Amino acid sequence: MNSEASTENYLQESKIPLRLSCVMESGWPVVLSLWYLFEEGSLFCATPEHARVVAYLLAEPRCSFEVASDQPPY
């Protein structure tokens, strides 16, 4: 299995939240967990429309994320 197919399979089969890192209005970073859906090569996160994370991302769209279990391999 190639790396891309392996990654897509992992994202489709995992039943864990992703950890999203973004920047608050204060300029400080924050890491939070969001449930996600991987569909057609895209990640969709579940959060209420008025959640603070939405405001953070609208103000500063640069972010990072990880989908990793607490068990090896990471």
Side-chain angles (χ1 to χ4, degrees), residues 14-72:
S14 291
K15 305 295 184 222
I16 57 176
L18 66 76
R19 288 183 280 272
L20 177 77
S21 174
C22 55
V23 180
M24 298 185 294
E25 295 97 348
S26 65
W28 286 92
V30 62
V31 177
L32 46 101
S33 296
L34 296 172
W35 288 107
Y36 74 91
L37 170 67
F38 181 75
E39 189 171 274
E40 297 181 18
S42 295
L43 285 169
F44 298 92
C45 292
T47 191
E49 183 178 354
H50 299 291
R52 288 182 183 172
V53 65
V54 174
Y56 300 157
L57 292 169
L58 288 172
E60 174 53 80
R62 293 180 297 173
C63 63
S64 63
F65 71 92
E66 74 169 349
V67 179
S69 67
D70 293 331
Q71 302 295 321

